[in-house]
Amino acid sequence: MTAVEYVETVVVGAGQQGCGAAAALQELGHEALVLERAEIGQAWAHERWDSLLVGSGNRSVRFPGLEYDGDDPDGFMSGPELAERLRRYTKERGLQVREHTSVREVECLPDATDHDEVRFRTHLSAGGTVESRNLVMAVGGYAAPRTPALATDVDPAVHQLHSRYYRNPAALPDGAVLVVGAGISGQQIAHELVSAGRRTFLSVGRHRAWPRHYRGRGLLEWLSALSLYDDFGTVGGDGGPVLPGLPVTAVRDKREDLNVGTLAARGVTLVGSVRAADGGTLLLKDNVVAVAEESARSFRYAVAEIDDRIRRRGFVAPEEKPAPEVPMEHVADFGERLDLAHHGITTIVWCTGFGPDYRILPRHVLDGNGAPIQEKGLLGVLPGLYYAGLPDGNYVVPVGISANVENGRALARLIHVDHVMRSGSSESLVTR
């Protein structure tokens, strides 16, 4: 007979979002059981490259009831360091987390009413079922590596891997490396490869560039102090007025900015966006300079916005002249073809992002692309179904590390209201 247990709220995923939701519920006196397929902080600890730095910076590593308490607030910790902090926090808070417990499927009971204690059955891969009134999906939107279909048209002699499986330069075959994608992953990996002496090519795409440090403060400190998250937390689609991407600011030596200009200055060969493959030849857009100039404009915009907010609020901050900018002197168009063999390229690292993986949920709560049908990044289409770590439309701040605090407390308030209304309690619906 299959074992069945009950908990008020099941949380799927023990990253910062899942543990943040469980901790926020704990603050309001509600129990939650977090189910994790591997280890707490699994992706940070084991599913990214060895030298990854947390791009949002140390200040962003905060959880409900715990701000960053280290001695380097403007630094950038590694992925394993973040995972260790999350494990320590989970233990100190006494959160109920079951590691190495994967979920086979979630059953949403079609006949459940507002008064029923059981609205979901979470079936575990190893057997057993957890019934609950609430279900929080905290697997985010970065679970499934995305590689473009054209990768199948590349000569099979070329070693290809997604950034999810990249670890370090020594683990790659000898020869030059092409990194595809100029976001956080692409730029950090290209920087590491060229620093290790590997001949490195970077296929660019639309992205934002940001100053790492300006007028005596780190960028992320300015974003918070000047209320600039709304300006810089929105992404646009291809051709849209807003460039996609979060800050690319993390570098190990803490002395320089990281952008396509600084990479070109270090010897990275910039090539256009990949549009097709034909064996050993990649067909490119001839857009290196155009992409770099657009990125440089976003950099100047960030600097100008910081200056403007400082001026309007009357803050005193040291002038920085000349203001930092994306260096363009080493940026040049490459052309429309890249002959891999001619340039000695033996490896392609696809830094082309991740997509959602919500296959454990019933199809009727997902859209045609398999993504959750949701509202404001939190609410599912069924009563009691919630999400943590999803963007709110084009607003990506809710997916950030520090957003686990606000996301978790918003979810906890919703679950608390549901609990009070169901129980008929006179307890206040308003929480701190």
Side-chain angles (χ1 to χ4, degrees):
M1 181 177 179
T2 303
V4 177
E5 58 184 307
Y6 178 83
V7 66
E8 183 182 37
T9 301
V10 165
V11 180
V12 180
Q16 69 270 4
Q17 295 288 349
C19 292
L25 283 165
Q26 183 190 67
E27 288 180 335
L28 298 183
H30 294 281
E31 63 172 344
L33 171 63
V34 184
L35 304 176
E36 168 55 46
R37 61 180 174 83
E39 299 176 10
I40 295 170
Q42 172 71 18
W44 291 111
H46 303 295
E47 297 180 1
R48 299 295 184 263
W49 63 98
D50 296 346
S51 66
L52 174 143
L53 298 176
V54 176
S56 55
N58 290 349
R59 290 181 189 274
S60 72
V61 183
R62 51 192 287 264
F63 311 108
L66 180 66
E67 297 295 314
Y68 172 74
D69 56 357
D71 58 4
D72 188 17
D74 290 321
F76 301 90
M77 69 179 66
S78 69
E81 286 175 322
L82 191 158
E84 176 55 34
R85 280 180 170 265
L86 181 58
R87 285 193 289 266
R88 186 169 69 246
Y89 172 80
T90 301
K91 181 178 180 180
E92 290 173 352
R93 292 295 166 122
L95 302 181
Q96 191 180 177
V97 180
R98 289 187 194 167
E99 298 179 290
H100 306 288
T101 305
S102 61
V103 174
R104 175 170 54 84
E105 66 174 338
V106 171
E107 179 185 359
C108 304
L109 303 187
D111 300 325
T113 70
D114 293 342
H115 298 286
D116 288 336
E117 294 289 334
V118 178
R119 294 192 285 206
F120 303 95
R121 290 195 181 106
T122 301
H123 301 284
L124 308 179
S125 299
T129 299
V130 184
E131 296 181 335
S132 64
R133 179 168 174 82
N134 308 299
L135 179 75
V136 177
M137 291 296 298
V139 298
Y142 303 98
R146 294 189 304 193
T147 301
L150 63 86
T152 60
D153 297 325
V154 175
D155 184 345
V158 177
H159 179 61
Q160 300 184 67
L161 71 163
H162 189 273
S163 61
R164 157 71 176 79
Y165 305 104
Y166 170 79
R167 290 296 173 265
N168 54 63
L172 300 181
D174 292 337
V177 182
L178 169 66
V179 179
V180 179
I184 294 176
S185 300
Q187 291 195 33
Q188 280 197 20
I189 290 173
H191 184 268
E192 175 177 70
L193 288 165
V194 75
S195 299
R198 300 294 289 265
R199 189 178 182 199
T200 305
F201 295 75
L202 177 64
S203 173
V204 301
R206 298 180 75 239
H207 66 280
R208 284 172 170 161
W210 312 64
R212 179 189 58 81
H213 193 271
Y214 182 54
R215 295 187 69 172
R217 302 282 178 177
L219 171 71
L220 294 152
E221 191 174 6
W222 281 130
L223 291 183
S224 177
L226 301 175
S227 303
L228 282 165
Y229 276 111
D230 285 348
D231 294 62
F232 296 101
T234 303
V235 299
D238 288 344
V242 182
L243 285 172
L246 295 171
V248 182
T249 57
V251 288
R252 287 200 169 274
D253 60 17
K254 301 181 183 179
R255 292 194 302 269
E256 64 179 18
D257 287 324
L258 181 59
N259 53 61
V260 293
T262 60
L263 288 169
R266 290 182 65 89
V268 173
T269 301
L270 305 179
V271 305
S273 305
V274 179
R275 59 183 179 87
D278 183 10
T281 301
L282 297 185
L283 307 181
L284 311 170
K285 295 180 180 179
D286 192 11
N287 64 344
V288 172
V289 171
V291 165
E293 287 179 342
E294 188 179 23
S295 175
R297 283 194 293 273
S298 75
F299 191 103
R300 291 193 295 272
Y301 175 75
V303 169
E305 281 295 298
I306 293 171
D307 286 340
D308 183 61
R309 296 287 177 103
I310 290 173
R311 177 186 57 78
R312 285 194 285 127
R313 297 192 182 186
F315 293 160
V316 176
E319 295 287 343
E320 189 169 332
K321 295 183 177 180
E325 59 183 14
V326 174
M328 296 291 291
E329 55 266 30
H330 296 282
V331 175
D333 281 323
F334 182 84
E336 297 183 341
R337 300 174 69 86
L338 176 61
D339 185 321
L340 300 177
H342 175 75
H343 292 285
I345 296 172
T346 59
T347 299
I348 298 176
V349 181
W350 296 100
C351 297
T352 44
F354 295 78
D357 185 358
Y358 288 86
R359 289 173 292 178
I360 63 173
L361 291 178
R363 293 176 63 90
H364 68 278
V365 304
L366 307 175
D367 65 18
N369 297 316
I373 303 171
Q374 45 82 23
E375 179 183 347
K376 297 186 179 300
L378 292 174
L379 294 167
V381 293
L382 298 176
L385 177 60
Y386 306 96
Y387 297 95
L390 290 180
D392 179 6
N394 288 335
Y395 189 55
V396 298
V397 168
V399 312
I401 294 169
S402 65
N404 79 84
V405 178
E406 288 74 20
N407 292 341
R409 286 178 173 160
L411 290 171
R413 287 192 293 268
L414 292 169
I415 290 171
H416 176 73
V417 169
D418 177 81
H419 169 79
V420 172
M421 298 300 293
R422 180 179 83 259
S423 64
S425 169
S426 59
E427 186 177 357
S428 174
L429 298 179
V430 179
T431 62
R432 59 183 173 86

